[in-house]
Amino acid sequence: MGITFLEKEKVFRLDTPNTSYYMGISDDKYLGHIYYGKKLKETNIRYLLREQEAPFVPSVNGRDKLSYMDCFPMEYPTHGVGDFREDAIAVRTKGGHTALELHYKGHEIIKGKPMPEGLPATFGGEDDCETLKVYLQDEVLSLEVVLSYSVFKDADAIARDVKVINHGEEEIFLTKVYSACMDMDNKDFELLTLHGSWARERHIQRNPVGCGFQGVSSVRGESSHQHHPFVALLSKGATDDCGEVYSMHFVYSGNFSGLVYRGQFDNVRMMMGINPEDFCWKLEKEEAFQAPEVVMTYSGEGLGAMTRAHHDLYRKHLIRSPYKDCKRPILINNWEATYFDFNTEKLIAIAKEASRLGIEMLVMDDGWFGNRFDDNRALGDWFVNEEKIKGGLKYLVDEVNKLGMKFGIWFEPEMISPDSDLYRAHPDWAIAVPGREAGLCRCQYVLDLTRKEIVDYVFDRMCAVLESANVEYVKWDMNRQLADLGSMNLPADRMGELSHRYVLAVYDLQERLLQRFPNLLLENCSGGGARFDPGMLYYSPQIWCSDDTDAIERLKIQEGTALIYPLSSMGAHVSDCPNHTVGRVTPFETRGYVALAGTFGYELDVTKIPEKDRNMIPKQVAMYHKYYPLVNAGDYYRLASYQENGLRDAYMVVSKDKKEALLTYVQVMMRPNCHSVIMRLKGLDAEKKYKVYRFNIESGEEEEMMPEALYGDTLMQAGLRIENPWGDFRAMLISLREV
């Protein structure tokens, strides 16, 4: 790890354990991108800026400045001065002008990592992190732009953010401010993105990068089910184990744009930041705007190395919760068990049976408050409905605690129902455009959290509920997107700030909640996985992965999620069958194995499921406790992808010391008259010998899969033979331990 500046050559070099990132100052003005890739021995590779080629730098060839601007690999490109590719920042002055040109003014290198105010971000101390700040300025507008780059001692990642300060006398309107940009020569790249919809989030998609614009975005007020704030450029044919990968991941939970532009000279510009649609931020004199952070990674060893870089960074430098390295309680959520039809007696009955089986927490989902007997009413009325919860919340929680179980509760704090006491008292608290009928979604509106009195009300109501009983977990949900953008709080020239201010208010609410209840286990959710992003991970160590709990659908969802997020962050439960989303029937055993690649819990009525399934729960509980440390902290390797092959799924988790590993194998479809599968393992120590076991869920014990131990290189190069289970949707757990 280290950041150096070569004064004579005017070149910056940023090193992570295995990568290097270079920038150079051209023509004493322009900051250009030089290189990002495998760690280099050379300190000065300035020649890659092509300054000695036509059209030459403007001081040499001013008559063709625009030609220079339109091909130079600008580190942070601006609008309106000759770079006709996608720009990273755009402004509008009081006079209506939009031109902006940034020149290098200085820099500083500091130990540690300053945290952006009011935003989630990666963190690091002086002994494991270093930060470069580059100061750019437009002299005409007196506008300063500060580019920050942080590198970490123990992660192959670079964290970037941007701060914009108006030192001029007149206001300036920011109409676009991306957080990261990188220019490269095209390497016949493919673009990898994550797409989906409700109940099928984060499916992996790869396409060749053609000329023009490609990318992903959201204007829904959240990161969304449909697209994810992540893009990766892959060298053609890159796999999990080989090829180059460049990625950008946005530490943000609102509107975003991640794009790639392939230009006329076959170069590629990669960018990530707040979506400029409907965005406009007013900067008065000496006011500043802080853009969210982007995490960048480079891998020369395929997608797998990129994955492990993200996992390590997020586990060590993004997740803050006291639960980060602790075993999470196995919970049972009553939503799919009861929906709105529950009361104290029903919940205690579920808790009694669950506690007998080894489940450690009961979570009471939607329907406990106000007049909430269905999803058409009462959001915002955060008062316990004692017709349902007879004796009050404290009585219920105390009874659950007596069983040796923890208690958790569901909230949807950002929403308001038109049929609610809160809306009848404060109809102006909903986001809406005056004179226009606001659209409903799930029969609810969104609270205008840009208004402090609304944020304070929500916070106070949540605190009153949480302080009334021993509540140790909160599931924070958000079940609709933002539309009809209008606020009674913002003047006309600041209405374009609403979406971002809304996200900042959500962050503020969650930060205040965690400051008040520092030991609270917070799990974020948005109609399932619509706000599964690094911004939320900063506040909650786990996020509900998807409302689709079907084990087979989860294979694709969890593969895409695990591509960039540690398994410990993925909310995953064993649910009932036929599955409530797709109607599929899968073995209870398989459902448990798939949920093990996540936080592990249950989403069913444990008093009604078949006895055979119920008797398996204590063995699944024991399985979770046995393998959790490995799943939580191990290195993740993808062996087979059901999304790609349509037949089977397989992945491994290997301990950091490579002494043990766990392989999950799922046969989705059985093919008749086929040989056994030879699975080449990954991540083991070639020189170590491993004993191979198969976990038997019936006995709860591991059984020898073969009598002899095998060297790691044998298992990785020759492979492990896995006999085809009989039937569809069959799965097995295979563990390996050094002998």
Side-chain angles (χ1 to χ4, degrees):
M1 177 197 78
I3 299 174
T4 55
F5 178 62
L6 307 179
E7 188 76 38
K8 181 179 178 182
E9 296 84 1
K10 296 183 179 177
V11 169
F12 296 97
R13 171 176 174 157
L14 294 76
D15 287 328
T16 74
N18 297 293
T19 71
S20 295
Y21 189 100
Y22 290 76
M23 299 177 289
I25 303 165
S26 178
D27 212 21
D28 290 326
K29 291 182 178 180
Y30 304 108
L31 184 65
H33 178 74
I34 299 176
Y35 171 86
Y36 187 29
K38 289 184 179 180
K39 200 168 191 175
L40 301 181
K41 296 183 178 66
E42 290 290 343
T43 54
N44 180 21
I45 53 173
R46 184 187 181 87
Y47 65 91
L48 293 175
L49 283 175
R50 297 187 172 107
E51 295 168 296
Q52 307 310 312
E53 300 177 19
F56 305 111
V57 297
S59 63
V60 173
N61 185 18
R63 72 185 298 273
D64 271 325
K65 176 184 174 181
L66 266 64
S67 299
Y68 167 85
M69 299 295 284
D70 202 30
C71 68
F72 184 70
M74 202 71 72
E75 185 69 17
Y76 199 66
T78 62
H79 177 79
V81 291
D83 187 341
F84 299 103
R85 298 161 290 180
E86 183 75 7
D87 46 72
I89 183 170
V91 301
R92 187 180 71 252
T93 68
K94 188 176 181 180
H97 301 115
T98 60
L100 176 66
E101 184 171 328
L102 295 173
H103 295 165
Y104 169 79
K105 289 300 178 184
H107 72 274
E108 61 177 325
I109 299 170
I110 58 179
K111 296 290 186 182
K113 185 176 185 295
M115 293 296 287
E117 185 178 354
L119 283 165
T122 54
F123 50 82
E126 292 188 2
D127 58 343
D128 62 2
C129 185
E130 202 166 7
T131 298
L132 166 69
K133 289 185 175 291
V134 182
Y135 298 92
L136 308 176
Q137 186 167 342
D138 183 302
E139 293 88 349
V140 175
L141 300 180
S142 297
L143 190 75
E144 182 180 43
V145 175
V146 185
L147 308 182
S148 295
Y149 303 76
S150 296
V151 294
F152 304 86
K153 183 178 181 180
D154 51 7
D156 281 317
I158 298 173
R160 295 178 58 172
D161 68 64
V162 176
K163 189 173 186 178
V164 184
I165 308 148
N166 179 16
H167 296 301
E169 295 298 322
E170 296 184 343
E171 68 264 26
I172 287 177
F173 293 90
L174 275 176
T175 56
K176 178 194 290 184
V177 53
Y178 283 169
S179 297
C181 173
M182 186 169 65
D183 283 2
M184 299 179 287
D185 284 4
N186 185 28
K187 301 180 183 179
D188 207 6
F189 281 126
E190 297 176 317
L191 175 64
L192 186 150
T193 57
L194 301 174
H195 72 95
S197 184
W198 176 80
R200 47 181 171 87
E201 298 90 341
R202 290 175 298 286
H203 287 201
I204 297 171
Q205 175 177 271
R206 287 173 67 158
N207 288 308
V209 174
C211 293
F213 296 91
Q214 300 108 94
V216 290
S217 66
S218 171
V219 291
R220 299 169 181 268
E222 60 179 359
S223 42
S224 84
H225 296 284
Q226 290 72 20
H227 296 288
H228 195 74
F230 170 82
V231 291
L233 286 173
L234 285 58
S235 56
K236 188 174 182 179
T239 68
D240 281 306
D241 308 305
C242 66
E244 289 190 292
V245 182
Y246 301 85
S247 75
M248 288 185 177
H249 202 189
F250 202 21
V251 187
Y252 188 61
S253 310
N255 296 339
F256 74 89
S257 181
L259 61 89
V260 169
Y261 175 79
R262 180 176 169 187
Q264 60 181 325
F265 302 113
D266 204 27
N267 48 17
V268 172
R269 176 166 285 177
M270 184 183 193
M271 310 182 78
M272 180 69 77
I274 292 175
N275 195 315
E277 185 171 334
D278 292 329
F279 172 84
C280 183
W281 196 276
K282 183 180 179 180
L283 287 178
E284 301 277 10
K285 182 181 178 181
E286 299 305 327
E287 284 187 342
F289 178 83
Q290 176 66 60
E293 182 174 271
V294 165
V295 168
M296 294 177 52
T297 66
Y298 167 82
S299 164
E301 299 174 347
L303 284 163
M306 178 209 74
T307 292
R308 292 183 286 280
H310 277 281
H311 288 196
D312 285 344
L313 180 74
Y314 293 161
R315 283 188 294 223
K316 297 173 185 175
H317 298 283
L318 182 65
I319 302 173
R320 304 173 298 161
S321 168
Y323 283 90
K324 175 173 69 170
D325 299 316
C326 298
K327 192 180 292 183
R328 316 285 165 78
I330 301 172
L331 66 84
I332 185 165
N333 186 299
N334 75 296
W335 179 242
E336 290 191 12
T338 66
Y339 293 99
F340 292 100
D341 184 19
F342 65 86
N343 54 29
T344 298
E345 291 74 18
K346 179 60 181 174
L347 293 178
I348 290 175
I350 291 174
K352 284 180 177 178
E353 185 62 18
S355 66
R356 185 184 70 81
L357 299 170
I359 297 172
E360 300 162 318
M361 177 186 286
L362 174 71
V363 175
M364 180 173 62
D365 211 281
D366 192 358
W368 56 267
F369 54 92
N371 189 33
R372 187 73 165 175
F373 291 95
D374 53 43
D375 61 3
N376 294 315
R377 68 192 85 187
L379 287 172
D381 297 341
W382 300 112
F383 300 87
V384 176
N385 182 337
E386 296 198 11
E387 291 182 28
K388 276 189 175 184
I389 311 303
K390 292 181 172 61
L393 184 63
K394 187 176 188 311
Y395 171 77
L396 171 61
V397 175
D398 287 348
E399 291 301 303
V400 171
N401 289 164
K402 288 175 186 176
L403 297 169
M405 297 180 73
K406 299 176 183 291
F407 186 88
I409 198 168
W410 177 96
F411 280 96
E412 194 170 3
E414 303 162 58
M415 301 297 155
I416 183 170
S417 300
D419 181 5
S420 67
D421 293 340
L422 184 63
Y423 186 79
R424 284 183 281 272
H426 300 285
D428 62 307
W429 280 20
I431 289 175
V433 177
R436 186 181 298 278
E437 183 179 354
L440 287 167
C441 183
R442 206 169 178 258
C443 204
Q444 58 196 65
Y445 297 130
V446 183
L447 285 169
D448 182 2
L449 297 184
T450 68
R451 297 169 61 176
K452 184 178 184 301
E453 68 271 25
I454 300 177
V455 173
D456 289 344
Y457 171 83
V458 172
F459 178 69
D460 289 344
R461 287 313 313 146
M462 291 185 74
C463 289
V465 172
L466 297 178
E467 288 172 344
S468 71
N470 184 29
V471 179
E472 300 180 67
Y473 161 104
V474 164
K475 181 180 179 181
W476 181 304
D477 208 346
M478 178 198 185
N479 278 305
R480 65 153 289 176
Q481 297 79 43
L482 274 63
D484 304 297
L485 297 178
S487 169
M488 299 288 289
N489 184 50
L490 297 173
D493 60 357
R494 289 193 179 273
M495 202 60 71
E497 302 175 10
L498 193 156
S499 292
H500 182 60
R501 288 187 181 276
Y502 179 89
V503 177
L504 293 178
V506 172
Y507 291 152
D508 178 57
L509 257 176
Q510 295 202 1
E511 183 66 32
R512 289 169 67 182
L513 193 69
L514 293 170
Q515 292 295 325
R516 177 73 71 91
F517 305 98
N519 295 316
L520 184 73
L521 175 55
L522 180 64
E523 178 168 335
N524 267 290
C525 171
S526 179
R531 205 150 66 176
F532 201 124
D533 57 64
M536 290 288 96
L537 204 58
Y538 181 77
Y539 301 96
S540 62
Q542 59 195 57
I543 305 171
W544 186 229
C545 203
S546 175
D547 277 349
D548 193 336
T549 56
D550 172 68
I552 304 307
E553 289 297 313
R554 272 298 184 108
L555 295 175
K556 295 179 183 179
I557 295 167
Q558 292 180 190
E559 178 185 0
T561 307
L563 185 70
I564 38 182
Y565 294 99
L567 302 187
S568 61
S569 69
M570 302 193 321
H573 293 172
V574 177
S575 63
D576 207 356
C577 278
N579 180 264
H580 290 202
T581 303
V582 299
R584 184 181 285 119
V585 176
T586 54
F588 201 77
E589 177 181 3
T590 298
R591 286 175 258 163
Y593 292 158
V594 174
L596 185 63
T599 56
F600 195 79
Y602 292 87
E603 192 97 10
L604 42 74
D605 188 342
V606 74
T607 68
K608 292 182 178 179
I609 61 175
E611 185 176 357
K612 181 182 178 183
D613 293 348
R614 187 161 51 247
N615 291 340
M616 195 179 290
I617 289 177
K619 298 160 187 175
Q620 289 179 334
V621 167
M623 171 189 74
Y624 164 80
H625 288 302
K626 180 179 183 64
Y627 296 119
Y628 177 81
L630 181 56
V631 172
N632 182 60
D635 288 331
Y636 175 86
Y637 294 86
R638 171 60 54 175
L639 304 185
S641 167
Y642 164 55
Q643 178 171 327
E644 291 181 4
N645 62 51
L647 294 172
R648 64 182 66 90
D649 207 65
Y651 43 89
M652 288 178 67
V653 183
V654 182
S655 64
K656 290 289 185 182
D657 60 12
K658 299 188 180 297
K659 290 184 176 181
E660 58 177 332
L662 184 68
L663 189 165
T664 304
Y665 179 88
V666 183
Q667 177 178 278
V668 179
M669 301 299 293
M670 181 184 182
R671 292 195 301 173
N673 195 28
C674 287
H675 289 299
S676 56
V677 175
I678 303 298
M679 190 67 64
R680 291 175 175 83
L681 309 191
K682 298 178 184 179
L684 304 176
D685 187 327
E687 304 301 319
K688 293 183 186 294
K689 270 196 165 185
Y690 295 90
K691 194 77 174 177
V692 183
Y693 303 89
R694 176 174 174 176
F695 182 76
N696 185 331
I697 191 67
E698 297 298 334
S699 66
E701 302 291 336
E702 291 181 337
E703 300 172 349
E704 282 189 358
M705 199 164 166
M706 53 183 61
E708 68 278 6
L710 298 174
Y711 279 107
D713 67 340
T714 301
L715 291 163
M716 291 188 292
Q717 302 303 321
L720 177 68
R721 187 178 72 88
I722 299 177
E723 293 185 6
N724 295 315
W726 187 81
D728 297 337
F729 316 136
R730 299 291 171 177
M732 63 180 75
L733 277 188
I734 297 170
S735 65
L736 300 95
R737 278 195 295 279
E738 178 190 9
V739 295

